[in-house]
Amino acid sequence: MLRILRGVGWALLGLVVLVVLLWSLSRLWPLPAAQREQVRWLEDVHPAPGKNGFALLWTLPFDGLDPAQREAALAVDVRRWQAGPAPGMADSALAATHPAVALDPRGKCGPAAGDCLAKVRADLQGFSAAHASHLQLHARLDSLADVDNVDTPFVPSGTAWLMPLPNYALLMDGTGAHALAYVQGDIAGALAGSCRSVQMGRRLMRGGNTLIDSMIGAAVVRTHVQLLAAMLAELPADQVLPAACERALQPMDADGQSLCRAMQGEFAISKAAIDASLQQAGTVLMLDREHTLGRIALNLGWACDPATTGRLAADMPVVVGSVGRWDVGCLSNMIGCVLSDIAAPAYQDYAARSQDAAAWLRLLGAQRWLRQQADAPEQALQRLPAHWRSPSRTPVLSADGKHLQVPRRARDMPAGAAPLLSVPL
């Protein structure tokens, strides 16, 4: 009996030694060169140049504040956040003393802005009432078109609240307001306002340091391009656009579509979450910081890969990285390997939304150019200037000849969204 117990003891000891050796081998397993390079790309964060408009974006719901007061309010909220993230800190402390602008659903056009003019005409009184008290909000939205970036000063906490976010829903209020102005006869104001909103969306896309900034920016571009296309289709073909449209409607280059800064922000959030998790007792045995960040970098690093810039410039589908499989490092990093696999499938669509925003701008430019040609659209399209098409997406006429279309690249659009980007002729 003693010999049996001794044998069992030695077997258990051997098993423990084997587990320790495997765990140590896993923990010491070197990070592949590709992962190290992608980590370097994602950590190579540079401050965005120019004017930071985050204070305006953060305090967007509040009327009656000058720029200095908005900066001061943001500084107070940043200090509150640094003192210790807690529930209820998602909004500015201004909410306790200043009434916030409330959106009225009667004045909302929704993501499919192509039918916004019809909605306004069907309920002109409701739209007018909904936007009557939003003049100051609309002025602030217009001012956001002039900022260079909207970098958030809130440092990710790694807690369940991650970081405070602005009230992005307010950014869409301009769509209904511009459509209302058009229906009421202010053609120049409606066109200029829509172009300024496109410019604001482009600022968010390239000047934010979170993924949600870029995605909201792309949505702002999409909705206002659709509205512009609907308005222009009703106006004379030689309609002169306001000066505000000159820059806003230029084709979007690869830098304007890039998600590199956005993914660097996502990487910083992941870092904070990992560091917070490592403070929990026992987690360190199943969570390795270096290997987890390396795997997460495989999900995000493609956005900063120089090869991606070329694909964006050519409007080719972006090659999105993914961890794909478990490796030796997962033996001592099971938590990290599970976490790094969770969001990977979504990034393809994030890249596609950014590219579709650029395609919307090209499509609007093609619409304007085509309507000014003397010959039939079928013949004129053969001469479409190169900057209004891409090697992979050249606009074509719809079957009834009334719309100009290119394929949609994003697959995760709202239910009922058409597989084509389309503007009326």
Side-chain angles (χ1 to χ4, degrees):
M1 187 61 146
L2 185 60
R3 292 178 61 186
I4 293 174
L5 291 175
R6 186 181 294 116
V8 171
W10 280 111
L12 290 174
L13 179 61
L15 181 60
V16 170
V17 170
L18 179 61
V19 169
V20 171
L21 286 174
L22 289 174
W23 185 92
S24 301
L25 174 65
S26 172
R27 191 56 63 98
L28 295 173
W29 197 260
L31 208 61
Q35 291 185 30
R36 291 198 303 272
E37 183 175 38
Q38 288 174 321
V39 169
R40 179 176 59 81
W41 288 338
L42 292 166
E43 290 182 335
D44 187 25
V45 181
H46 300 281
K51 177 183 177 182
N52 188 344
F54 188 82
L56 177 57
L57 179 60
W58 175 247
T59 60
L60 199 60
F62 306 105
D63 291 338
L65 300 174
D66 61 33
Q69 289 173 313
R70 294 184 187 280
E71 293 287 351
L74 173 61
V76 169
D77 293 329
V78 170
R79 288 195 295 271
R80 289 171 63 230
W81 181 255
Q82 290 172 337
M89 294 178 66
D91 298 320
S92 173
L94 286 171
T97 57
H98 290 69
V101 171
L103 295 182
D104 189 327
R106 292 177 300 170
K108 183 179 179 181
C109 279
D115 61 352
C116 192
L117 297 180
K119 287 186 176 181
V120 174
R121 287 168 175 142
D123 186 17
L124 185 58
Q125 184 176 357
F127 268 82
S128 298
H131 291 284
S133 62
H134 289 183
L135 294 181
Q136 291 188 51
L137 171 62
H138 298 157
R140 292 194 294 277
L141 291 174
D142 185 76
S143 295
L144 277 173
D146 293 324
V147 305
D148 296 300
N149 66 81
V150 287
D151 276 2
T152 177
F154 292 107
V155 177
S157 70
T159 66
W161 306 289
L162 293 179
M163 60 195 299
L165 295 173
N167 186 343
Y168 290 108
L170 294 175
L171 296 175
M172 293 298 184
D173 196 57
T175 314
H178 303 325
L180 176 64
Y182 176 87
V183 171
Q184 291 178 328
D186 183 9
I187 306 300
L191 293 175
S194 294
C195 287
R196 294 280 290 174
S197 293
V198 169
Q199 183 68 22
M200 181 255 288
R202 296 179 69 155
R203 294 297 194 209
L204 285 171
M205 285 183 66
R206 67 173 295 178
N209 57 353
T210 66
L211 182 58
I212 192 170
D213 287 334
S214 293
M215 293 300 99
I216 293 294
V220 170
V221 170
R222 180 185 75 244
T223 56
H224 286 91
V225 164
Q226 288 180 285
L227 178 58
L228 276 165
M231 291 190 291
L232 290 174
E234 295 184 358
L235 294 171
D238 59 353
Q239 173 73 39
V240 177
L241 293 182
C245 298
E246 181 64 28
R247 182 171 57 168
L249 302 186
Q250 289 296 312
M252 189 181 295
D253 60 15
D255 186 50
Q257 302 171 57
S258 173
L259 294 181
C260 182
R261 296 193 80 244
M263 292 307 181
Q264 286 175 332
E266 293 297 298
F267 193 65
I269 291 174
S270 297
K271 270 189 183 179
I274 292 167
D275 290 341
S277 297
L278 286 171
Q279 302 302 313
Q280 301 175 19
T283 307
V284 69
L285 293 176
M286 287 291 104
L287 178 60
D288 179 82
R289 187 178 190 273
E290 181 185 18
H291 283 90
T292 302
L293 289 177
R295 289 176 65 85
I296 290 174
L298 287 176
N299 289 337
L300 308 178
W302 56 268
C304 301
D305 188 336
T308 297
T309 303
R311 299 190 73 84
L312 291 175
D315 192 34
M316 300 296 292
V318 172
V319 179
V320 174
S322 176
V323 290
R325 59 182 177 81
W326 281 35
D327 53 28
V328 175
C330 291
L331 293 174
S332 62
N333 188 35
M334 291 186 180
I335 295 175
C337 288
V338 171
L339 290 175
S340 63
D341 287 343
I342 290 176
Y347 292 118
Q348 185 73 54
D349 287 313
Y350 293 141
R353 285 189 226 171
S354 179
Q355 290 185 296
D356 279 349
W360 275 114
L361 282 166
R362 290 193 300 271
L363 199 57
L364 180 64
Q367 177 217 40
R368 291 167 53 208
W369 180 88
L370 192 63
R371 295 181 70 240
Q372 295 171 3
Q373 305 310 302
D375 49 348
E378 294 84 352
Q379 285 73 45
L381 267 179
Q382 299 176 24
R383 307 190 314 274
L384 183 66
H387 54 279
W388 297 132
R389 51 187 166 83
S390 78
S392 63
R393 289 194 280 187
T394 297
V396 297
L397 291 174
S398 61
D400 60 8
K402 296 181 179 180
H403 292 79
L404 203 57
Q405 302 173 328
V406 295
R408 183 191 300 276
R409 190 158 290 162
R411 303 165 301 177
D412 62 339
M413 298 305 292
L420 298 170
L421 310 184
S422 179
V423 296
L425 290 175

